[in-house]
Amino acid sequence: MTKIVVLVKEVPDAAVQKQVDSSTGRLDRSGEKTLNPFDTHAIEAALQLKESGALEVDEVVAITVGPSTAVKALHKAVSLGADRSIHLTDDGLVGSDVVGTGYALAELIKRENPGLVLAGQQSDDGQSYAVGAAVAEYLGWPGLTQVIKLDVDGQTITAERQAEYGYDTVKVTLPAVISVGDAINEPRYPSLKAIMGAKKKPLESLSLGDAGIDASKVGEAGRKAVWTGSQQPPAKAAGELIEDEDTAATVEKIVTWLDDRKLI
């Protein structure tokens, strides 16, 4: 039997305007938060593998690293179908970069000893696309990104991944870490019963000490990226508005505008 671990994250809600706290160099997370939408595709991929019998999966475990509020993201992951969840939360994690986060997640994964780790292709806040790769590096497992199709044959997965020039078809042998793209599936909606029962499913909360994680490798102490500052992008000039009072004249203006810029 194979265990699947799904990496999830709490992120600011899509309706919240995202901005960086200039005093810390970290994202302001004071607003409403939710489960990273890209991670719902990873959860769905795990459930489809389990339900189809393509892999003999005994359980799907959601794991997150984050503050106390991240429990809500885990409840959402469980309501979508994960069997249980693990929450690493510790003040020593504050300020972790991608490398530190990847290390911490890898240590949690080692405790679970899964056959497959799935993640969303990116987070809706940091947009680094790199956490899955960092986890794979720490585990010493093959890692794939931007995967939009999975076919399983025993302990071998044939994955189709999206690339700038088209598509790659790659084979990996389990265990592996795979970051899936949002084109891989259409996540299901949780039922009311699943939402109500999510808080009753097992949730393990761990500190750095509980998980045996080296505090010097995470948080501010372990970060490799250094914040130097930020600035707003330059304001764009206002566009030209063409009123359609006379259709023929309007079309002529548009054609002239495009022709002047050698767009036609």
Side-chain angles (χ1 to χ4, degrees):
M1 297 290 283
T2 298
K3 181 190 300 181
I4 298 179
V5 161
V6 182
L7 307 181
V8 301
K9 185 182 182 184
E10 174 193 74
V11 298
D13 188 84
V16 175
Q17 182 178 359
K18 298 174 181 62
Q19 56 186 7
V20 173
D21 183 336
S22 58
S23 64
T24 63
R26 297 193 292 269
L27 187 69
D28 180 357
R29 301 178 183 277
S30 58
E32 187 67 25
K33 292 171 279 290
T34 187
L35 172 65
N36 178 37
F38 293 96
D39 297 340
T40 63
H41 296 277
I43 296 169
E44 180 64 28
L47 297 178
Q48 289 184 11
L49 288 172
K50 181 179 180 180
E51 294 166 354
S52 68
L55 274 178
E56 291 187 13
V57 179
D58 56 350
E59 63 175 347
V60 175
V61 184
I63 290 181
T64 196
V65 172
S68 59
T69 55
V71 168
K72 292 182 179 179
L74 289 174
H75 287 159
K76 178 65 179 293
V78 168
S79 74
L80 288 169
D83 297 296
R84 60 184 175 89
S85 59
I86 300 172
H87 183 196
L88 179 67
T89 181
D90 194 295
D91 289 344
L93 290 161
V94 176
S96 295
D97 58 11
V98 169
V99 175
T101 301
Y103 159 70
L105 286 167
E107 292 302 300
L108 292 176
I109 292 166
K110 290 175 184 177
R111 289 166 50 93
E112 292 296 312
N113 192 31
L116 176 62
V117 175
L118 294 175
Q121 67 181 9
Q122 69 202 79
S123 64
D124 201 33
D125 50 3
Q127 303 274 355
S128 74
Y129 289 76
V131 170
V135 169
E137 179 68 19
Y138 275 111
L139 291 173
W141 294 358
L144 295 176
T145 59
Q146 298 289 103
V147 171
I148 59 170
K149 186 179 179 182
L150 291 170
D151 290 315
V152 181
D153 182 9
Q155 292 298 298
T156 300
I157 288 183
T158 301
E160 186 174 296
R161 62 180 304 274
Q162 211 164 19
E164 292 181 357
Y165 48 78
Y167 298 91
D168 293 326
T169 300
V170 186
K171 285 188 177 182
V172 295
T173 301
L174 298 178
V177 180
I178 297 178
S179 300
V180 301
D182 53 2
I184 194 170
N185 55 41
E186 186 66 36
R188 66 194 69 187
Y189 290 98
S191 66
L192 179 59
K193 181 180 179 180
I195 294 173
M196 298 299 292
K199 293 182 180 180
K200 298 179 181 179
K201 286 196 175 183
L203 189 162
E204 184 179 12
S205 182
L206 301 171
S207 66
L208 292 176
D210 295 332
I213 292 173
D214 185 345
S216 69
K217 294 183 178 181
V218 296
E220 296 287 353
R223 68 184 303 168
K224 303 297 188 294
V226 179
W227 169 259
T228 59
S230 67
Q231 59 184 18
Q232 292 291 334
K236 295 182 179 179
E240 181 181 351
L241 180 63
I242 300 176
E243 302 280 352
D244 188 9
E245 296 179 358
D246 181 327
T247 301
T250 298
V251 170
E252 185 176 349
K253 286 181 180 179
I254 293 173
V255 171
T256 300
W257 188 92
L258 292 170
D259 187 46
D260 289 345
R261 291 158 179 79
K262 302 187 183 303
L263 297 174
I264 57 173

